[in-house]
Amino acid sequence: MRRLWFRNLIALMLTLPDAALATTFDDAVAAYKRKDYASALSLFRSLAEKGDAKAEGNLGVLYSHGEGVRQDYAEALKWYRRAAEQGDPHAQFNIGVLYDHGTGVAQNYAEALKWYELAAAKGDVLAHLNLGVMYTYGNGVTQDFTEAAAQFRFAAERGEAQSQDDLGILYATGRGVPKDEAEAIRWFSLAARQGNAQAQYNLAVRYTEGEGVAKDYNEAIKWYQLAADQDYGEAENNLGAMYESGFGVAQDEVVAVTWFRRAAQHNNVSAETNLGIMNANGKGVTQNFAEARKWFQLAADHGDIKAQRNLGALYATGKGVPQSYADATKYYGLAAAHGDSEARTVLERIRSVQARQSAPMQRPEEHSTRVGLASAPLQPFTRLEPSAFRFSSPSFEPRTVHIGPSPSFGFGSHMMAGHFGRR
């Protein structure tokens, strides 16, 4: 399950004429920044009970995060509403988030849309981002990539990194805007330089493939590494693939396995398949078919087609598992049902052999070669994932959108209490 990140922004507001009130508010903000949540709670509450909108909104943030007080979304919503009714855009945005994700309330996209639009009308960049997400997914609205692009652009032009990455994705796919790899690279680069892990990954993908830029494995490695440093599973997996292949780095299968393990720890399914392949081939580790079966099983259970095919090969040959044509047929059948032509071919052969009740079939995996370096020798299992580097869903967005055939792309929205207000 993907991790949810909480984003706290300090939004500069005009100082009120009441200097004592402003000092109290500033004291509350200072207490929050030094993580003295009990003091921040007390100071914000005293102001909120006097009807101060920013204090009301910030009190809602504390209840939403469970900072200085027991987490209570109902109480958070109460204070957000008080601030929102006074026109505070940050509180309006936070109400939208609660309804968007069904946190403490029944999920209601129409209600989320209403509050996002109120906040966006006041120029809130995160509200524009989340409206872009809603139009991308068709949540509460008719799916409209042109409108999504307009919403992302508003926030992107004001420096919001996730919106920049999302706009880059639209340019890369030609959804809502003309397909333009140069524009995609420009937006990916802007977001990547701000430290956005998904944008760093996406930029690395383009350097790996030579799309919109000259192919440059060294540059790809740099951006994969930056994303991997943020525990971005897809980047960790692709770093493993680069080390296994020797693209942009000295080939090192032991290091490749290390990256695959890290990626698998971050729930990357391709990395699970790759660990199975490395164990089956004895690459970077001692050959161990039982360990290979474990990783193939995990990835197969997560729906990875190549893992299903390779698991079928293990059962067909009795490596790491008791030999079983029934189980081999099951896993080859799963892969074939998802369009894997190699699995379909082997499945037909198994069934033909069973029908004839003839001698044991030739090991199917002997016909599978690793694609990569032209001089690569025959290997018993299919090549490392990914077959093509791809865009990914962001680590702080629980939903994954597929807006077309491979590659797949993800659009991110900011979760839970996106604004912490300050005068």
Side-chain angles (χ1 to χ4, degrees):
M1 181 177 180
R2 290 199 181 271
R3 200 172 48 179
L4 306 185
W5 283 7
F6 296 95
R7 171 113 177 213
N8 297 323
L9 301 181
I10 304 298
L12 299 177
M13 306 299 293
L14 295 176
T15 303
L16 292 182
D18 188 335
L21 187 61
T23 299
T24 303
F25 190 95
D26 288 343
D27 290 341
V29 171
Y32 183 89
K33 291 174 71 174
R34 66 175 180 267
K35 299 185 179 181
D36 181 0
Y37 299 130
S39 295
L41 179 75
S42 176
L43 291 168
F44 281 136
R45 188 184 298 280
S46 67
L47 293 171
E49 289 175 346
K50 296 174 185 176
D52 183 271
K54 291 300 174 188
E56 291 168 343
N58 288 342
L59 191 56
V61 170
L62 293 177
Y63 274 106
S64 181
H65 288 194
E67 294 170 331
V69 67
R70 181 178 61 82
Q71 188 174 55
D72 187 334
Y73 292 121
E75 192 71 7
L77 182 60
K78 181 186 82 174
W79 290 108
Y80 287 153
R81 283 192 182 279
R82 290 189 182 185
E85 287 166 0
Q86 296 190 62
D88 183 79
H90 304 334
Q92 292 168 343
F93 169 83
N94 286 344
I95 294 174
V97 170
L98 293 179
Y99 279 106
D100 192 355
H101 298 281
T103 305
V105 293
Q107 188 177 54
N108 187 326
Y109 290 133
E111 193 71 8
L113 183 73
K114 179 185 82 174
W115 289 106
Y116 286 152
E117 287 179 338
L118 286 170
K122 296 182 174 67
D124 187 285
V125 294
L126 296 185
H128 281 280
L129 164 62
N130 282 7
L131 283 171
V133 173
M134 296 190 81
Y135 279 103
T136 297
Y137 285 87
N139 289 340
V141 292
T142 301
Q143 188 178 49
D144 186 337
F145 290 110
T146 300
E147 183 62 26
Q151 297 292 341
F152 289 143
R153 189 181 302 280
F154 181 95
E157 289 176 345
R158 287 155 181 80
E160 205 289 311
Q162 186 60 57
S163 298
Q164 292 170 341
D165 181 67
D166 291 339
L167 189 57
I169 290 171
L170 291 181
Y171 274 110
T173 57
R175 301 291 180 130
V177 292
K179 184 177 174 62
D180 188 330
E181 285 289 352
E183 273 296 285
I185 292 296
R186 182 169 80 89
W187 290 111
F188 290 152
S189 297
L190 286 169
R193 291 183 186 120
Q194 291 195 67
N196 182 280
Q198 178 176 297
Q200 291 167 344
Y201 174 82
N202 285 344
L203 194 55
V205 168
R206 308 321 269 172
Y207 277 109
T208 303
E209 296 181 330
E211 294 287 346
V213 290
K215 184 178 291 188
D216 188 333
Y217 291 138
N218 291 326
E219 195 71 8
I221 288 289
K222 179 185 83 172
W223 291 110
Y224 281 141
Q225 184 70 62
L226 287 169
D229 288 344
Q230 299 186 61
D231 296 336
Y232 200 79
E234 287 86 349
E236 292 167 335
N237 179 66
N238 281 14
L239 270 177
M242 300 289 271
Y243 273 100
E244 192 276 339
S245 301
F247 292 154
V249 291
Q251 187 177 32
D252 191 324
E253 291 166 345
V254 174
V255 173
V257 169
T258 299
W259 281 114
F260 291 145
R261 288 191 185 281
R262 277 191 53 174
Q265 288 171 358
H266 296 128
N267 303 315
N268 184 271
V269 178
S270 293
E272 293 171 345
T273 299
N274 286 343
L275 284 170
I277 291 169
M278 299 299 273
N279 278 279
N281 289 335
K283 299 295 185 180
V285 293
T286 302
Q287 189 175 52
N288 186 329
F289 288 109
E291 186 72 4
R293 186 214 65 81
K294 181 187 82 172
W295 289 110
F296 286 147
Q297 187 71 64
L298 281 171
D301 290 344
H302 292 146
D304 187 85
I305 297 172
K306 290 182 174 62
Q308 292 166 347
R309 185 208 305 162
N310 285 339
L311 195 55
L314 290 181
Y315 278 108
T317 58
K319 291 184 175 179
V321 292
Q323 196 278 336
S324 171
Y325 285 134
D327 286 318
T329 298
K330 171 186 172 182
Y331 287 105
Y332 277 127
L334 286 172
H338 289 94
D340 189 296
S341 59
E342 291 182 40
R344 186 178 301 111
T345 298
V346 176
L347 184 62
E348 291 171 356
R349 289 172 54 200
I350 292 175
R351 288 172 174 166
S352 176
V353 169
Q354 287 176 316
R356 295 195 309 269
Q357 295 183 343
S358 60
M361 62 174 285
Q362 184 181 12
R363 294 191 305 175
E365 71 276 16
E366 291 179 349
H367 293 273
S368 179
T369 61
R370 288 261 306 274
V371 176
L373 300 178
S375 60
L378 292 178
Q379 299 291 338
F381 291 90
T382 54
R383 66 179 172 78
L384 292 176
E385 280 294 293
S387 55
F389 296 94
R390 62 184 176 83
F391 295 103
S392 67
S393 57
S395 57
F396 45 83
E397 171 49 46
R399 299 166 295 178
T400 300
V401 61
H402 295 281
I403 60 176
S406 181
S408 62
F409 301 81
F411 292 84
S413 67
H414 289 288
M415 288 291 293
M416 289 316 301
H419 290 294
F420 186 78
R422 176 184 167 190
R423 286 184 170 70

